[in-house]
Amino acid sequence: MLSTSLRPHSIVAITHASDIAAARRAGHSLAQELGFDDVRAGQLALLISEAATNIIKHAIEGCIYLSATLQGARAGIDVVAVDGGPGIGNMMQALRDGVSSVGTAGTGLGAMRRLADEFDAWAPRGKGAVFFMRLWRAAADLSQSLSPALADKPGMVSFGALSLPIASEESNGDGWAIACDRAGVALMSIDGLGHGDLAAAAARAALDCMAEAPFRTPTAQIEACHGALRATRGAALAVAQISYPGAGGRADRDGDATLHFAGIGNI
């Protein structure tokens, strides 16, 4: 299984109450694409509404980032809400229903945590807030996500990434890729030289090269990418490979898990 940054995020700026509906529409479109049923799509709409409303009430403006997460046969949608507001002094207290700093019912953050299958938050006082919420497509996806037995099996790796273009560009010259199997995990991070379309073309060339053989050794992967990037302006690369003990022969001779890394350029 290979997941990469070639599938872009949907970005919805939240500056006005009307933007909440725009964020819901973007979420609904992604839910339809991934095969969410009406119940799960409705839960996603509520989750996005609560996150966007929280931005309007507490920070005036921010962004909602929506992206698909694909892990084997599982499919879900990640919702990341980012703002530059006042932050939260006591997160545990803020998550309790009835607690509000702006005179509302105080159920928004609690609802976000309850609706999401996976939830995390970062909001130190005075430094804005980031809320991460993941909703899986169906009960089968959720049960696999939460099962300790499956989580301990090689190949069941949880990951996430947010890669965005600079404000003046629509194309993103940065990229990432991760491949997982029962023998280990391979990762790549790419920084196409410069920015814009030409940098994005370089990142795509490296990602396509990794897709051909994700589990090359890091050194061999960089050598292969070097050839693939000859027709582009080039990129800085970092490649890592984690090998599980006793699974597929990529661990070291003593059976210990190993990490191999190779990089070129400054990412």
Side-chain angles (χ1 to χ4, degrees):
M1 177 189 71
L2 178 70
S3 295
T4 81
S5 59
L6 290 180
R7 186 186 186 100
H9 303 282
S10 294
I11 308 170
V12 183
I14 306 297
T15 61
H16 186 270
S18 61
D19 297 325
I20 299 173
R24 281 200 307 267
R25 288 193 296 271
H28 181 71
S29 177
L30 186 55
Q32 284 189 315
E33 182 182 340
L34 294 177
F36 276 50
D37 61 25
D38 290 342
V39 173
R40 296 300 273 176
Q43 290 173 331
L44 176 67
L46 287 173
L47 184 60
I48 293 171
S49 293
E50 292 290 352
T53 299
N54 185 68
I55 290 174
I56 294 293
K57 287 181 178 178
H58 298 279
I60 302 178
E61 61 182 17
C63 281
I64 297 287
Y65 302 98
L66 303 170
S67 59
T69 179
L70 304 173
Q71 298 182 11
R74 295 184 294 162
I77 294 176
D78 289 349
V79 180
V80 180
V82 181
D83 68 64
I88 299 173
N90 188 327
M91 178 62 70
M92 295 307 297
Q93 182 181 31
L95 288 169
R96 296 173 187 163
D97 288 344
V99 176
S100 174
S101 62
V102 292
T104 60
T107 58
L109 293 186
M112 288 160 58
R113 184 170 64 170
R114 287 189 295 271
L115 285 165
D117 296 326
E118 299 177 31
F119 177 89
D120 202 358
W122 181 88
R125 189 184 297 276
K127 294 186 178 181
V130 179
F131 294 96
F132 165 81
M133 295 145 286
R134 174 172 290 167
L135 192 70
W136 290 104
R137 174 177 54 194
D141 295 322
L142 174 60
S143 64
Q144 288 187 33
S145 174
L146 299 180
S147 169
L150 283 170
D152 290 339
K153 289 183 178 180
M156 298 298 290
V157 176
S158 182
F159 61 90
L162 189 64
S163 180
L164 306 170
I166 61 175
S168 61
E169 297 287 348
E170 293 186 2
S171 298
N172 188 3
D174 296 330
W176 58 269
I178 178 170
C180 312
D181 70 3
R182 298 188 63 82
V185 182
L187 306 101
M188 177 185 285
S189 179
I190 310 104
D191 180 3
L193 296 184
H195 52 80
D197 292 342
L198 294 178
R204 283 194 300 271
L207 293 171
D208 289 342
C209 181
M210 181 177 180
E212 295 172 359
F215 291 102
R216 296 184 183 104
T217 66
T219 300
Q221 193 70 264
I222 286 182
E223 290 176 348
C225 287
H226 177 62
L229 288 165
R230 287 185 186 278
T232 74
R233 62 167 50 177
L237 293 175
V239 181
Q241 189 177 98
I242 301 170
S243 302
Y244 301 137
R250 290 199 296 267
D252 67 17
R253 294 181 180 179
D254 297 326
D256 294 329
T258 58
L259 168 65
H260 298 277
F261 174 86
I264 185 166
N266 181 24
I267 297 180

